[in-house]
Amino acid sequence: MGFFTDTSVCIGCKACEVACKEWNAVPEDGLEFTGMSYDNTQGLGADTWRHVAFIEQDKPVGDADSGVRWLMASDVCKHCTHAACLDVCPTGSLFRTEFGTVVVQEDVCNGCGYCVPACPYGVIDQREEDGRVWKCTLCYDRIGDGLEPACAKACPTDSIQYGPLDELRERAAERVGRLHDMGVEDARLYGHDPRDGVGGDGAFFLLLDEPEVYGLPPDPVVTTRDLPSMWRRAGVAAAALAAGAAALFAVHGRPGGGR
């Protein structure tokens, strides 16, 4: 199960942010304007599990010669198929659910913070009060009872859609095709491909510009990709060291004793 977020119909109402906070009892996080945008929540964090970005572009819309285009997009944890946060968690606080999503058990988290730099999207974050990590759970408690996640339920334009990933990917491809037919040539999908660097995202997006415009990495790769080869090399080195020590012992005998 997962999310398909169609940014082409997002109106920036932030109903998803409010619904997420209300259902999950996420603390208020300042709501201060940055001076760079009308956005007042700035980005994803321990106290912002859904974030609607406001991106202003000096770009004409439609047949106009000049003007401003607003890109609005509701960002969230990507629930990666190959999740580095799971790989590095030493306590089992992070786990893969029966729905394929990634959830944090805050009562098991020890605040080590290893998962924070491991995330290729910069999603997971620690709270200053106690150091534990928090992020979107894809409303694990709601979907377990057959309900929609709170953000999808609250979205008035169906920009956020929830369901089986295969169905969402098919629906998303059809939507991109319709937009291309309408002349929206920049429409593209992001995070939908199981062959990408994270094995595909459980939350993917239809974008109207390059991923970097939305603050998304253009080619995300699971940061623990090279761990198996690193452990293999470490094992070979350890074996060589042990063999050398054994050979030295065989030649010189036990330290302090004779042969």
Coordinates of all heavy atoms in Angstrom, one line a residue, residues 21 29 35 53 56 58 82 98 136 141 144 156 167 179 187 242:
K21 N -1.4 16.2 11.6 CA -1.1 16.7 13.0 C -2.2 16.3 14.0 O -2.0 15.8 15.1 CB -0.9 18.2 13.0 CG 0.5 18.6 12.5 CD 0.6 20.1 12.7 CE 2.0 20.6 12.3 NZ 3.0 20.1 13.3
D29 N 4.7 23.3 15.2 CA 6.1 23.5 14.9 C 6.5 24.9 14.5 O 7.5 25.1 13.8 CB 6.6 22.5 13.8 CG 5.7 22.5 12.6 OD1 4.7 23.2 12.6 OD2 6.0 21.8 11.6
G35 N 10.2 34.3 4.9 CA 10.6 35.5 4.1 C 10.9 35.1 2.7 O 11.1 36.0 1.9
A53 N 4.9 22.2 0.0 CA 5.8 23.2 -0.5 C 5.1 24.1 -1.5 O 4.3 23.8 -2.3 CB 7.0 22.5 -1.3
E56 N 7.4 29.3 -6.2 CA 7.0 30.4 -7.1 C 8.0 30.5 -8.3 O 9.2 30.6 -8.0 CB 6.9 31.7 -6.3 CG 6.5 32.9 -7.1 CD 6.4 34.1 -6.3 OE1 5.8 34.1 -5.3 OE2 7.1 35.1 -6.7
D58 N 8.9 32.3 -12.1 CA 8.7 33.4 -13.1 C 8.5 32.7 -14.4 O 9.5 32.6 -15.2 CB 9.8 34.4 -13.1 CG 9.6 35.6 -14.0 OD1 8.4 35.7 -14.5 OD2 10.5 36.3 -14.3
H82 N 13.8 -0.3 -0.5 CA 15.1 -0.6 0.2 C 15.4 0.6 1.1 O 15.9 1.6 0.7 CB 16.2 -0.8 -0.9 CG 16.0 -1.8 -1.9 ND1 15.5 -3.1 -1.5 CD2 16.0 -1.8 -3.2 CE1 15.4 -3.8 -2.6 NE2 15.7 -3.1 -3.6
E98 N 3.2 -5.0 7.5 CA 2.5 -5.9 6.6 C 2.0 -5.2 5.3 O 1.7 -5.9 4.3 CB 1.4 -6.7 7.3 CG 0.2 -5.8 7.7 CD 0.3 -5.3 9.1 OE1 1.5 -5.0 9.5 OE2 -0.7 -5.1 9.8
C136 N 6.4 10.1 9.2 CA 5.1 9.6 8.7 C 5.0 8.1 8.9 O 6.0 7.3 8.6 CB 4.9 9.9 7.3 SG 3.7 9.0 6.4
D141 N -2.2 2.9 12.1 CA -3.3 2.5 12.9 C -4.6 2.6 12.1 O -5.5 1.8 12.2 CB -3.4 3.4 14.1 CG -3.4 4.8 13.9 OD1 -3.0 5.2 12.7 OD2 -3.7 5.6 14.8
G144 N -4.8 -0.2 9.2 CA -5.0 -1.5 9.8 C -6.5 -1.8 10.0 O -6.9 -2.9 10.1
P156 N -9.0 17.8 -0.5 CA -10.2 18.1 -1.2 C -10.2 17.9 -2.7 O -11.2 17.9 -3.4 CB -10.4 19.6 -0.9 CG -9.1 20.2 -0.7 CD -8.3 19.1 0.0
E167 N -1.9 -0.5 -8.5 CA -3.0 0.3 -9.1 C -2.7 1.8 -9.2 O -3.0 2.4 -10.1 CB -4.3 0.1 -8.2 CG -4.8 -1.3 -8.2 CD -6.0 -1.5 -7.3 OE1 -6.6 -0.4 -6.9 OE2 -6.5 -2.6 -7.0
L179 N -2.0 14.5 -19.3 CA -1.4 15.8 -19.2 C -0.5 16.1 -20.4 O -0.5 17.2 -20.9 CB -0.6 15.9 -17.9 CG -1.3 16.0 -16.6 CD1 -0.4 15.9 -15.4 CD2 -2.1 17.3 -16.6
A187 N 5.2 17.2 -17.3 CA 4.7 16.3 -16.3 C 5.5 15.0 -16.4 O 5.8 14.4 -17.4 CB 3.2 16.0 -16.6
A242 N 43.9 -13.0 11.0 CA 43.9 -14.2 11.8 C 44.9 -15.2 11.3 O 45.6 -15.9 12.1 CB 42.5 -14.8 11.9

